[in-house]
Amino acid sequence: MLFEQQDRETPNSTTFNEWIADRSLPHLSTNAGAAAVSYQGWRRFKESFAPELVARAIQETETSLGRPVECVADPFGGSGTTGLVSQFLGRSSATIEVNPFLADLIEAKLTAYDYEELAAAYIQVLSCLGTRCRSEPFPNAPATFVEPGVGGRFLFGIDVATALYDLILTIEECVANPNLRRLLKVLAVSVSVDLSNAVVSGKGRRYRRNWRDRYLDAVNVRQRFAAQVHRAMYDIRRYGLRREPAFRLLRGDARVLAKDIGPIGVGVFSPPYPNSFDYTDVYNIELWTGGYFSSAQDNLTTRNSTLRSHVQIVRSFSREGVVSDQLNRTIENLTAVRHQMWSRHIPDMVGAYFADMRTIIQQLAGQLVSGGRLYIVVGDSQYAGVSVPVSDILTEIALADGLEVVGVEPVRSMRASPQQGGAQKLPETLLILRG
Ligand SMILES: C[S@@+](CC[C@H](N)C(=O)[O-])C[C@H]1O[C@@H](n2cnc3c(N)ncnc32)[C@H](O)[C@@H]1O
């Protein structure tokens, strides 16, 4: 059993094995049932790591180093798996996340709370609800956000929008403790997609079938928020005392911040894949409802700070300094069928993706302690029948930069996106590098 003896020094804390309920998984890919684990169900995150993968990376690195790692780093925090696992295992961690809603979600999960104070803050919010002067809900959001919307289409009916806006502003105004304020706000914002007329999936956002027949109001907003808070309170009560309560969270672009982490024992991460999927889209509803965005410019600024894995915005797709024959061949092949693609920028974006990945890997490798490792889960992509063999290209780049490749393991196959041809399976791979 993984890390069974871990908690002798802190006997009251919850063990890693208790947290994952001693389950055993068929594979350690992303999307391997992480949402079933406490904390990870607060907001479904399809691409989150199985916690066991992070535990494995720590364990293998420590076995090879012969001592505990000083810091576990994750430059692409997402749902915060790496920070959580590190806390359960009693290791220091540093997480970077560019998306401000996800950064708040990570911080809300990793923070320790006084349970009684949390319960009191929740009751305070309930008693203040509806006492504020009513104002126009989400006044800065796009015109399609609130009824009447544009052309008869809108994401939130007026009753839901008013109640949700009131809930979020009430939390902001009446909870004095900033940690509790962040937690309650994240929980409120996390139910917003459920309350909207849209569903969000890996394929993007679309209106629910029959959304016009679905009537929700303030009662639904309060019920969903209550259920969400009760779930979080259970998780915090049951698993809130962890062996390492501290954590570091760096908010912003990993391409800029990764160099500032300091000594790293092991880096464990899964970047966005070069499949034209932008997390700014996936979390757009939360970003607006939570007030993380208050103008179109905010949306653009966040998109510009994300890895160049998508073509949602056109920016410089330069790829200077990347040494890989496989990448050169892949870009030639993609360029030859550029006319069949839904965006002519895709071949250049793919080149830029590897330039960004090289920057991150170099920055982390430069801070690895001697013998420290990087565990990177990556997925291949495909456009107009041309495969982008991500792990093969990254292996070439890493070798050219003087890193040692310790392992290249298939993790599972992913379904290709509809733009990439649908059903075909694309490999997901764990790449293990040593500094
Ligand atoms: C595949 S997800 C990571 C999932 C994570 N391993 C987990 O277990 O939840 C990739 C994350 O990288 C973030 N991201 C994208 N570009 C970034 C950048 N330039 N700097 C930091 N984070 C970025 C996205 O917002 C997303 O949350």
Side-chain angles (χ1 to χ4, degrees), residues 48-49 75-76 78-79 81 97-98 102 252-254 270 272 279 305-307:
S48 54
F49 283 144
F76 299 102
S79 65
T81 318
E97 176 53 56
V98 73
L102 292 173
D253 185 346
S270 178
Y279 288 85
S305 306
T306 57
L307 206 72

Side-chain angles (χ1 to χ4, degrees), residues 347-419:
D348 308 319
M349 176 276 284
V350 168
Y353 175 82
F354 287 98
D356 282 354
M357 284 299 295
R358 177 174 183 245
T359 302
I360 302 285
I361 292 173
Q362 276 188 328
Q363 291 188 6
L364 296 180
Q367 296 165 94
L368 277 179
V369 300
S370 169
R373 294 178 174 201
L374 300 179
Y375 284 69
I376 314 172
V377 177
V378 289
D380 288 3
S381 289
Q382 192 183 63
Y383 295 97
V386 177
S387 294
V388 182
V390 175
S391 65
D392 292 353
I393 295 172
L394 283 180
T395 301
E396 252 185 44
I397 293 172
L399 287 170
D401 281 339
L403 287 156
E404 183 190 341
V405 177
V406 176
V408 181
E409 293 175 23
V411 208
R412 67 155 184 150
S413 294
M414 301 176 297
R415 191 169 290 278
S417 75
Q419 292 98 330

Side-chain angles (χ1 to χ4, degrees), residues 45 126 158:
F45 197 101
L126 294 186
I158 186 69

Side-chain angles (χ1 to χ4, degrees), residues 30 40 45 47-50 54 74-82 96-99 102 252-255 268-273 278-280 283 305-309 360:
T30 60
Q40 296 302 67
F45 197 101
E47 294 77 14
S48 54
F49 283 144
V54 182
D74 186 343
F76 299 102
S79 65
T81 318
T82 302
I96 306 176
E97 176 53 56
V98 73
N99 180 307
L102 292 173
D253 185 346
R255 296 168 300 177
V268 195
F269 60 99
S270 178
Y273 302 161
D278 181 8
Y279 288 85
T280 320
Y283 296 97
S305 306
T306 57
L307 206 72
R308 290 178 290 173
S309 62
I360 302 285

Side-chain angles (χ1 to χ4, degrees), residues 255-325:
R255 296 168 300 177
V256 179
L257 297 174
K259 64 181 184 326
D260 301 327
I261 293 176
I264 297 169
V266 60
V268 195
F269 60 99
S270 178
Y273 302 161
N275 56 5
S276 305
F277 176 85
D278 181 8
Y279 288 85
T280 320
D281 280 332
V282 180
Y283 296 97
N284 216 258
I285 292 182
E286 290 92 336
L287 288 162
W288 286 102
T289 53
Y292 299 102
F293 288 172
S294 53
S295 68
Q297 182 56 45
D298 291 344
N299 205 351
L300 190 62
T301 303
T302 299
R303 280 193 201 284
N304 264 315
S305 306
T306 57
L307 206 72
R308 290 178 290 173
S309 62
H310 58 86
V311 287
Q312 259 77 349
I313 48 168
V314 177
R315 46 187 162 163
S316 159
F317 288 128
S318 58
R319 60 170 169 118
E320 62 291 332
V322 181
V323 178
S324 163
D325 290 340

Side-chain angles (χ1 to χ4, degrees), residues 327-369:
L327 177 60
N328 296 342
R329 275 197 302 279
T330 302
I331 292 179
E332 268 173 37
N333 294 339
L334 288 170
T335 306
V337 290
R338 196 196 285 265
H339 59 282
Q340 295 175 30
M341 296 175 187
W342 51 275
S343 164
R344 65 186 174 84
H345 299 292
I346 286 170
D348 308 319
M349 176 276 284
V350 168
Y353 175 82
F354 287 98
D356 282 354
M357 284 299 295
R358 177 174 183 245
T359 302
I360 302 285
I361 292 173
Q362 276 188 328
Q363 291 188 6
L364 296 180
Q367 296 165 94
L368 277 179
V369 300

